[in-house]
Amino acid sequence: MSNVSPINKEFRTAPDQQSGQMSNTPASQQKISAANSEPSDDLSRLYDAKVMMVDDEPLNLEVTQIYLEAAGYSQFVSTDDPMKAVALLDSERPDVLLLDVKMPGKSGFEILGEMKQKQMLQDVPTIVLTASSDAETKLQALELGATDFLAKPVDPSELVLRMRNTLAAKAYRDRLANYDRLTGLPNRRTFIERLEWALDYAPRRNKPGAALLIDLDGFKRINDALGPALGDELLQLVAGRIGTVLRLVEILSKFQTDEARPTLSRMASDEFAMLLPVLSRPDSAAQVAQRVLEAVASPFSLGGQELQITCGIGIAVFPDDGMDTDSIVRNASVAMHHAKREKKHSYQFYSHELNARALHRLSLGNELRKAIERNELRLLYQPKNDIQTGKVCGCEALVRWLHPEFGLVGPDEFIELAEETGLINSFGEWVMRAACMQIKAWQSAGLTAPRMSVNVSSHQFLEARLPDTLRRILDQTGADPASLGIEITEGMLLKNAEANVKVLEDLKAMGIRLSMDDFGTGYSSLSYLNSFPLDELKIDRSFMAEIQQDGDRSAIVSAIIAMAHSMEMKVVAEGVENEHQLQFLKAHGCDEYQGFMVSKPVLPKEFAERFLGATYRAQETPD
Ligand code: C2E
Ligand code: MG
Ligand code: MG
C-alpha cells in the first residue's frame, strides 16, 4: 500500500506563503513558506504538518493515522513497503517521519542510513517506532539521525506529545535558519530561496519582477559613534520603516496570489533586499524604490537625539537582467553601487533603458499633476453592440491624455502613474463628470444617448466614498443613473471583499449598473463572483485570440458565458476583431460585443455621427 492523501497533492500546486515554517510544502521547497515578518509562534500551525509513516503492518498505519487525525493532523503520506520509503520521502518531503524499525526487506535503520546520504532528507525529523526498550537500538538510531522514539504498541497521548515536541523543535530550528534575529525579517538564505522560486514562476506568469538591494550609507561610522546597542536599534527602526512600504506595496498590488507577495529581508548588517515577484511593468519598481527612499529619509529618534540617514538602492529586473539568483543579486548590487556613486539617496536600475524610462515617468508624473487644470484629458467612446441585432446599445468611455509635448498618451501609460501619485481620485472624478456631461449633451442634441460605462480604478474603490462622489456628480450634471454603469476589475473585489460588497450594493441601489471588466485575467472563479451584485461580465480580449485559433480554450469562453448566464449576468465580449469571433460568440449566446470590428474608441462627435445618427453643422460640435 502506498497512499498519498489527496490533500497533499492540492498543497503541492500552491506553495503556501501564509503559514509559518510548518508549511505543507517540503523543506527544500519552502521557498516562500514563511511569512514576511517574524513567524508567529502559533502552535496550531503545527497541525498543518505533513506526516509520513512507514510501517510494514497496514493496520498500524491506519491506527496511528486515526490517533493523529483525532488530534487535528490532516496531511498524511504512508507506505507499508519499506523498499519504497526513500523514494516516497524524496517526492513528498514530509515535515515529520514516523518510522518502524523492524521491517522485512529493509529495516528502519537502513532507511535512516539512506536518508543521511541525501542532503534533502537529512533534515526530516524522524520518530522511530520500536518495540524494543534496549538502549543499544536507540543509540544506533540516534547516531543515524533519529530525533525521538516511541514504544510500540503506540499510546495515543504519547504519540501526540512526541509529535508536537518534534515539530515545535523543527519550527524553532527552521526559524533560526531562515530569519534574522535582530529584525525578525527573513534572512539572506530565505531571500535567495524566494527569489529562486519567483524566477521559476516568472516564465509562466509572463510578467516582470524585481529585486531591490537597499544599502545604508555610512552605517559603520554611525554604529561606531552610537555604540552597537543603538546601532542595532537603528537597524530595527529602518527595517520597520521599509516594512511599511512593503505592506503598502502588498495592499496596492494588483496581483493577490501567494507567489506574488513581496518579501523584505535583511541580507547583511546594513543591507536589506526587497523582492517584488510580479510587477505590471518593469519600471514600476522605481515607485517602490522612491517610497523606500522617502521612508528612510525622515529622521529617526534614537537615544534622545534625531538622526538622519541615507541609502542607495539598486534594482535588477527579471527576466531582463538575469534568470538566476546570482545574476539578479549581482546586478542589483552593481546598480546599488552605481546609485551610491551617482547621487546620494537615490536608486538606479541595472539597465540603462529602465533608468531612462523611470526618468521619463518621473517627468510624466510631474506633468500629470497639471493635466486636469490644463484641460488636457479627453474621453473617447467605443460602441457596445447587441450580438443578435448588431445595434449599438451602449458605449464605454476611455480616457486619453493629450500632452503638448508627449502627444497622445494612452491610459496604460498613465492610469497606474495616477494611482501611484494619488492623482487617480481627481482623474476618476473628471472622467465620471465628463461622461455624465456627454450623456446630457447627446440628449440635448435630441439624440438617444446609449448606456454609458466608465472604468473605475481600484484606488477609487478603496476610498469607499465612491457612491457619494457619484451621487454628487449625477446631481450636478442631471444625468440619469440608469444610463450609467461602472466597470471594475477582479483584483479590486478580491482585496477587501466585505467592504466592496457594501459599496457595490450602494451603487446598485442608486440604479447604476455594475460590470466586471477583463474577466479571466485575474484569479477569481466565477462562483466567487456570485457574492457580488454584478449585472454584467466582460470577457477579457485575450480570449478572443483563443477563439481565433479554435483552440481548446474556446471551450472556456462558452463555459464562462453559460455560467454567467446562470448567475443572471449579461455577457459582453471585449476585443472582437473579426467575423469568426463574432459568429462563435453568437453561437454560444453571448449578449453584446465590443471591439475594433465595429470601431476603435472615437471622439464624441464621430460617435454621434456614426452610431447615433447625428448630423452636425460646422461649428456645432457638442464636445
Ligand atoms: P478596458 O476597460 O478593458 O478597455 C478596453 C481596451 O481595449 C481599450 O484600451 C480599447 O481601446 C481596447 N480595445 C477595444 N477593442 C479592441 C479590439 O478589438 N482589439 C484590441 N486589441 N483592443 C481593443 P484603452 O483605451 O487603451 O484602455 C486600456 C485600459 O485602460 C482600459 O481597459 C481600462 O482598464 C483603462 N482605462 C481606460 N480609461 C480609463 C478611465 O477613465 N479610468 C480608469 N480607471 N481606467 C481607464
Ligand atoms: Mg473597461
Ligand atoms: Mg476590459
Side-chain angles (χ1 to χ4, degrees):
M1 182 180 74
S2 178
N3 149 23
V4 178
S5 77
I7 288 175
N8 291 324
K9 287 191 182 144
E10 236 171 65
F11 266 93
R12 296 182 71 76
T13 57
D16 177 8
Q17 182 159 239
Q18 312 285 2
S19 67
Q21 50 285 74
M22 277 301 109
S23 145
N24 299 290
T25 330
S28 67
Q29 289 178 28
Q30 277 187 12
K31 292 178 178 164
I32 55 163
S33 65
N36 278 316
S37 55
E38 193 166 3
S40 114
D41 281 327
D42 182 2
L43 283 179
S44 66
R45 287 204 179 139
L46 299 186
Y47 299 116
D48 291 339
K50 188 197 273 189
V51 181
M52 177 162 154
M53 302 181 288
V54 183
D55 197 314
D56 59 310
E57 180 52 67
L59 190 63
N60 285 346
L61 291 174
E62 233 168 276
V63 171
T64 314
Q65 179 161 341
I66 289 168
Y67 290 157
L68 289 172
E69 275 172 350
Y73 293 90
S74 59
Q75 315 264 335
F76 299 98
V77 185
S78 59
T79 177
D80 60 2
D81 182 354
M83 306 305 282
K84 291 188 181 150
V86 175
L88 199 59
L89 272 163
D90 230 353
S91 63
E92 290 297 324
R93 306 277 161 79
D95 295 300
V96 60
L97 170 67
L98 284 168
L99 180 65
D100 188 21
V101 171
K102 281 214 182 89
M103 291 182 289
K106 195 184 262 184
S107 76
F109 288 145
E110 284 170 273
I111 292 173
L112 277 171
E114 284 179 40
M115 285 169 70
K116 212 172 172 179
Q117 302 301 314
K118 293 196 167 217
Q119 214 203 339
M120 291 304 199
L121 299 183
Q122 279 173 1
D123 285 342
V124 179
T126 306
I127 302 174
V128 169
L129 300 169
T130 163
S132 130
S133 58
D134 110 59
E136 190 62 32
T137 310
K138 290 189 176 172
L139 206 62
Q140 195 182 349
L142 271 181
E143 271 167 13
L144 286 167
T147 330
D148 204 350
F149 302 95
L150 202 55
K152 276 173 104 173
V154 171
D155 170 69
S157 39
E158 188 72 9
L159 169 71
V160 171
L161 185 72
R162 297 282 157 133
M163 193 71 150
R164 197 182 150 98
N165 287 347
T166 303
L167 286 169
K170 178 176 185 285
Y172 181 68
R173 209 182 56 209
D174 285 351
R175 183 164 144 188
L176 284 188
N178 297 323
Y179 286 82
D180 169 47
R181 304 225 9 214
L182 180 70
T183 58
L185 294 175
N187 61 15
R188 184 184 187 95
R189 167 188 158 147
T190 309
F191 181 84
I192 299 291
E193 281 179 352
R194 292 185 189 178
L195 175 59
E196 200 177 323
W197 200 77
L199 292 170
D200 279 355
Y201 237 82
R204 270 177 271 174
R205 219 187 291 104
N206 206 16
K207 290 267 181 221
L212 276 61
L213 212 58
I214 306 155
D215 192 274
L216 306 186
D217 292 330
F219 180 73
K220 191 178 171 321
R221 195 173 25 79
I222 300 172
N223 203 32
D224 289 346
L226 294 175
L230 284 181
D232 280 358
E233 200 182 322
L234 177 63
L235 289 173
Q236 287 169 330
L237 292 173
V238 171
R241 291 261 185 95
I242 310 179
T244 317
V245 178
L246 184 86
R247 278 184 291 283
L248 193 72
V249 171
E250 249 181 281
I251 294 169
L252 297 184
S253 167
K254 290 200 178 98
F255 310 98
Q256 296 291 318
T257 52
D258 277 347
E259 79 270 5
R261 277 183 74 186
T263 294
L264 172 66
S265 43
R266 183 171 175 222
M267 300 293 270
S269 89
D270 63 342
E271 191 175 277
F272 297 86
M274 197 186 280
L275 172 65
L276 305 169
V278 199
L279 294 167
S280 23
R281 41 199 300 157
D283 49 345
S284 310
Q287 269 68 41
V288 180
Q290 185 57 40
R291 287 209 162 103
V292 172
L293 290 177
E294 284 159 17
V296 172
S298 40
F300 292 89
S301 131
L302 205 70
Q305 51 180 314
E306 289 229 319
L307 188 73
Q308 201 133 23
I309 58 167
T310 53
C311 66
I313 305 176
I315 310 170
V317 170
F318 47 88
D320 289 2
D321 300 339
M323 271 308 276
D324 60 273
T325 55
D326 279 356
S327 314
I328 292 297
V329 174
R330 191 179 52 242
N331 292 341
S333 172
V334 168
M336 186 264 288
H337 288 293
H338 186 202
K340 289 196 162 200
R341 272 195 313 274
E342 283 285 302
K343 189 174 165 212
K344 212 174 178 65
H345 208 55
S346 70
Y347 63 83
Q348 282 281 328
F349 281 92
Y350 178 70
S351 127
H352 297 301
E353 190 205 322
L354 282 180
N355 274 330
R357 232 192 288 170
L359 218 63
H360 172 66
R361 269 169 78 77
L362 197 68
S363 58
L364 212 59
N366 291 335
E367 289 291 291
L368 201 56
R369 283 173 216 289
K370 303 172 203 145
I372 294 182
E373 62 188 68
R374 289 199 208 141
N375 193 23
E376 289 170 355
L377 296 183
R378 295 285 179 278
L379 280 188
L380 300 186
Y381 299 89
Q382 187 179 37
K384 274 182 186 174
N385 294 53
D386 184 291
I387 250 175
Q388 296 306 330
T389 66
K391 288 204 174 110
V392 172
C393 51
C395 68
E396 177 174 4
L398 295 155
V399 71
R400 298 289 181 271
W401 176 19
L402 200 61
H403 187 270
E405 187 190 331
F406 305 133
L408 197 66
V409 189
D412 288 338
E413 281 259 348
F414 70 86
I415 289 289
E416 200 181 301
L417 197 59
E419 291 173 344
E420 285 157 2
T421 46
L423 290 169
I424 191 66
N425 285 326
S426 42
F427 269 59
E429 252 190 82
W430 183 91
V431 168
M432 290 186 284
R433 177 168 289 111
C436 287
M437 282 163 65
Q438 190 59 61
I439 298 176
K440 289 301 283 183
W442 279 332
Q443 285 172 345
S444 330
L447 305 171
T448 311
R451 285 182 353 236
M452 170 78 72
S453 295
V454 291
N455 293 282
V456 167
S457 142
S458 58
H459 292 244
Q460 288 168 272
F461 226 77
L462 286 174
E463 275 277 299
R465 287 199 308 260
L466 189 62
D468 293 340
T469 310
L470 265 169
R471 209 172 280 124
R472 182 163 39 83
I473 292 173
L474 286 165
D475 275 356
Q476 287 167 351
T477 57
D480 176 9
S483 58
L484 190 68
I486 59 162
E487 298 192 359
I488 52 182
T489 54
E490 290 168 75
M492 303 183 192
L493 293 186
L494 294 173
K495 261 176 218 171
N496 193 359
E498 248 172 67
N500 290 338
V501 171
K502 170 88 183 62
V503 174
L504 291 177
E505 277 168 354
D506 282 0
L507 293 171
K508 188 142 181 154
M510 288 164 62
I512 293 171
R513 267 169 307 108
L514 305 173
S515 171
M516 164 67 38
D517 206 353
D518 305 342
F519 184 78
T521 51
Y523 298 91
S524 58
S525 64
L526 265 168
S527 53
Y528 183 78
L529 291 187
N530 220 356
S531 24
F532 303 99
L534 300 165
D535 301 292
E536 180 180 279
L537 185 142
K538 298 183 81 176
I539 305 177
D540 188 68
R541 65 172 183 260
S542 57
F543 286 95
M544 293 309 119
E546 318 275 350
I547 291 179
Q548 186 64 15
Q549 290 155 9
D550 273 335
D552 282 350
R553 291 196 53 189
S554 59
I556 297 179
V557 175
S558 57
I560 294 177
I561 297 173
M563 287 272 290
H565 281 163
S566 74
M567 293 180 208
E568 294 176 358
M569 280 189 260
K570 203 180 246 188
V571 184
V572 183
E574 300 186 298
V576 177
E577 293 182 354
N578 59 48
E579 188 63 32
H580 176 79
Q581 293 162 338
L582 181 63
Q583 288 314 322
F584 178 94
L585 294 161
K586 206 175 208 169
H588 289 88
C590 184
D591 303 289
E592 292 173 16
Y593 71 108
Q594 188 183 337
F596 294 168
M597 188 183 168
V598 176
S599 172
K600 294 196 167 175
V602 293
L603 283 164
K605 177 171 177 284
E606 182 177 342
F607 190 93
E609 284 171 353
R610 284 177 58 194
F611 306 113
L612 306 178
T615 43
Y616 291 115
R617 289 188 299 272
Q619 310 295 315
E620 205 192 26
T621 56
D623 43 316

